[in-house]
């Protein structure tokens, strides 16, 4: 009798869970708010009943790769999208921006993720794959590059651009250095060696950090902002996850990675002294204030952005990046084009962008995102 009762309780719980899951998926609708069962509209587009994601003829497998900065966002997107579009498999390989662009220009992926816009030579290479067009940048994910640290006994830390530059250039070697102490009056900074971690592979996150340091501390950071780590010294780790793991484990360490990695692993992050009235914390909201000032510098359908790393606006966190999804404006492979458009349309939708804030990222500003949606619709 006890066994039967347990089985009945288990069945009831599973049934409740299934109903709850269905309600959650239905509630998380995108721009298409139609309900009910799967239906086909007048244009022949099929809409998922589970989450109202427009599948639009998507089918088969879609391969993509690139930026590890957007991995946590991409994991959520892929899970949600595949739940809505049954029979479609999206496989995003989180590697690095550099590897993603190489894969895209070799024609092995439907789109790539990159934390920096395509260079002119990369656009030229893309024309071999995009037979009738070229690769374009579609801004999809925004967010802060958090400066994570692990220093026993110190929970709060403020740094400015010149001090950060000297730390990552191995010019400041101890945590109780006068430059750090001046910014953290009253803090008990230990006489401990600083262990600075950076990315081992070509990385758009590295390049964006370099752009910030070059723009805000030109006297202390003499390197060109490139995807490859330029400064001597320090220790290397693979991908944002690897840098975060090292900072989590090593006392006296500091490194850079997207906020979602810090949040998920409870890693303390540095507040940035921008010269404003108060140091700025690395949060999605504060990053959004900086990204909102971005201007489109791309031409035609290319939507590459110009970010202001020198902002002193109140509450604006200046070390930000925007991850682009790179696709052909025309000349996409016919077998993957419907899935590329459907998936990217979802990531740019209100539903897809809402997931970013929940995951520690920043949505793309509304005005820019409207142009992203228009461009996705025109991909051919």
């Amino acid at each position: 009798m006890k066994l039967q009762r347990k089985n009945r309780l288990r069945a009831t719980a599973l049934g409740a869970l299934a109903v709850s899951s269905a309600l959650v998926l239905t509630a998380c609708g995108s721009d298409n708010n139609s309900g009910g069962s799967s239906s086909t509209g007048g244009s022949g587009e099929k809409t998922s009943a589970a989450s109202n994601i427009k599948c639009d003829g998507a089918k088969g497998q879609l391969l993509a790769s690139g930026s590890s900065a957007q991995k946590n966002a991409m994991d959520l997107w892929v899970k949600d999208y595949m739940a809505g579009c049954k029979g479609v498999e999206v496989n995003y390989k989180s590697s690095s921006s550099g590897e993603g662009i190489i894969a895209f220009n070799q024609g092995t992926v439907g789109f790539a993720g990159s934390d920096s816009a395509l260079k002119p030579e990369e656009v030229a290479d893309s024309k071999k794959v995009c037979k009738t067009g070229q690769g374009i940048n579609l801004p999809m994910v925004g967010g802060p590059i958090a400066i994570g640290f692990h220093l026993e006994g110190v929970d709060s830390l403020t740094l400015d651009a010149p001090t950060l530059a000297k730390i990552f250039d191995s010019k400041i070697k101890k945590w109780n250095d006068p430059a750090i102490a001046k910014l953290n009056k009253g803090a008990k900074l230990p006489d401990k060696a600083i262990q600075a971690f950076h990315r081992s592979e070509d990385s758009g996150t590295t390049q964006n950090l370099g752009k910030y340091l070059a723009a805000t501390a030109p006297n202390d950071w003499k390197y060109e902002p490139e995807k490859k780590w330029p400064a001597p010294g320090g220790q290397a780790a693979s991908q944002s996850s690897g840098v975060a793991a090292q900072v989590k484990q090593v006392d006296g360490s500091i490194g850079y990675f997207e906020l979602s990695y810090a949040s998920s692993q409870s890693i303390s992050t540095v507040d940035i002294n921008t010269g404003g009235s108060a140091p700025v914390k690395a949060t999605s909201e504060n990053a959004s204030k900086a990204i909102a000032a971005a201007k489109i510098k791309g031409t035609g359908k290319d939507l590459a952005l110009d970010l202001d790393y020198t902002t002193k606006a109140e509450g604006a966190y200046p070390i930000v990046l925007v991850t682009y999804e790179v696709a052909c404006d025309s000349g996409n492979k016919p077998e993957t084009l419907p899935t590329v458009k459907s998936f990217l349309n979802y990531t740019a939708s209100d539903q897809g962008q809402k997931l970013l804030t929940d995951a520690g990222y920043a949505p793309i500003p509304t005005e820019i995102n409207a142009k992203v949606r228009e461009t996705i619709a025109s991909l051919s």
Side-chain angles (χ1 to χ4, degrees):
M1 291 297 290
K2 288 184 178 180
L3 181 59
Q4 290 177 343
R5 184 171 182 270
K6 283 185 178 180
N7 287 338
R8 283 199 303 271
L9 288 172
R10 183 173 180 271
T12 301
L14 288 173
L17 179 61
V19 171
S20 175
S21 299
L23 288 173
V24 170
L25 287 169
T26 303
C28 297
S30 65
D31 296 333
N32 181 356
N33 294 317
S34 61
S37 59
S38 296
S39 59
T40 301
S43 62
E45 68 180 26
K46 192 171 183 180
T47 303
S48 159
S51 56
N52 291 325
I53 294 173
K54 296 179 180 179
C55 301
D56 290 342
K59 60 182 179 180
Q61 185 182 60
L62 173 62
L63 300 179
S65 70
S67 164
S68 66
Q70 67 171 357
K71 178 187 183 301
N72 293 330
M74 191 61 71
D75 285 348
L76 292 172
W77 280 336
V78 168
K79 180 181 178 181
D80 203 16
Y81 180 81
M82 287 174 56
C85 297
K86 302 297 184 183
V88 181
E89 181 183 353
V90 179
N91 187 337
Y92 181 83
K93 179 184 177 184
S94 172
S95 51
S96 68
S97 297
E99 292 176 43
I101 296 303
I102 290 173
F104 179 76
N105 282 341
Q106 289 177 341
T108 59
V109 295
F111 71 89
S114 177
D115 304 325
S116 54
L118 292 168
K119 295 179 179 179
E121 59 268 27
E122 292 171 334
V123 173
D125 286 344
S126 74
K127 293 179 180 179
K128 301 171 186 176
V129 175
C130 309
K131 300 297 185 183
T132 59
Q134 65 181 43
I136 57 172
N137 303 284
L138 300 170
M140 199 67 70
V141 183
I145 300 175
I147 307 298
F149 71 96
H150 178 176
L151 192 58
E152 295 296 336
V154 178
D155 298 323
S156 178
L157 188 69
T158 296
L159 298 173
D160 58 13
T163 308
L164 268 177
K166 292 172 186 174
I167 288 173
F168 282 115
D169 198 21
S170 301
K171 300 291 175 56
I172 291 179
K173 300 179 184 295
K174 290 289 190 74
W175 278 109
N176 62 348
D177 187 277
I180 301 177
K182 184 178 179 180
L183 292 165
N184 297 273
K185 296 187 186 318
K188 295 181 179 179
L189 299 170
D191 182 17
K192 186 185 294 289
I194 295 174
Q195 300 193 55
F197 286 90
H198 59 263
R199 293 280 290 274
S200 59
E201 72 283 0
D202 286 4
S203 160
T205 310
T206 294
Q207 188 172 38
N208 279 277
L209 175 64
K211 287 178 179 179
Y212 164 75
L213 294 175
T216 55
N219 294 328
D220 299 296
W221 192 257
K222 302 292 188 180
Y223 308 100
E224 288 295 319
E226 297 291 346
K227 293 178 181 178
K228 185 176 180 61
W229 181 255
Q235 301 180 59
S238 177
Q239 303 184 22
S240 292
S241 57
V243 176
Q246 290 298 321
V247 173
K248 176 74 173 179
Q249 295 169 10
V250 179
D251 184 23
S253 62
I254 189 170
Y256 59 94
F257 33 80
E258 293 66 43
L259 180 62
S260 60
Y261 291 93
S263 301
S264 64
Q265 299 187 51
S266 300
I267 298 172
S268 299
T269 60
V270 171
D271 298 341
I272 301 299
N273 184 337
T274 64
S277 63
V280 185
K281 294 186 178 298
T283 68
S284 296
E285 181 183 4
N286 292 344
S288 292
K289 293 176 183 177
I291 295 173
K295 305 295 183 184
I296 295 175
K297 65 179 180 180
T299 58
K301 292 184 178 181
D302 185 81
L303 300 177
L305 301 180
D306 187 14
L307 298 169
D308 180 10
Y309 297 97
T310 63
T311 180
K312 292 180 173 59
E314 290 302 313
Y317 184 83
I319 318 177
V320 295
L321 60 74
V322 169
T323 294
Y324 302 93
E325 312 308 343
V326 176
C328 297
D329 56 359
S330 66
N332 288 278
K333 294 179 181 179
E335 61 270 25
T336 57
L337 176 60
T339 309
V340 169
K341 293 179 68 172
S342 171
F343 180 71
L344 295 184
N345 183 60
Y346 163 64
T347 62
S349 71
D350 290 341
Q351 178 182 348
Q353 289 290 296
K354 183 182 182 302
L355 287 178
L356 295 180
T357 301
D358 298 338
Y361 295 95
I364 298 301
T366 302
E367 183 178 343
I368 296 172
N369 193 45
K371 295 182 180 180
V372 172
R373 296 185 196 185
E374 291 176 10
T375 303
I376 292 170
S378 72
L379 298 181
S380 63

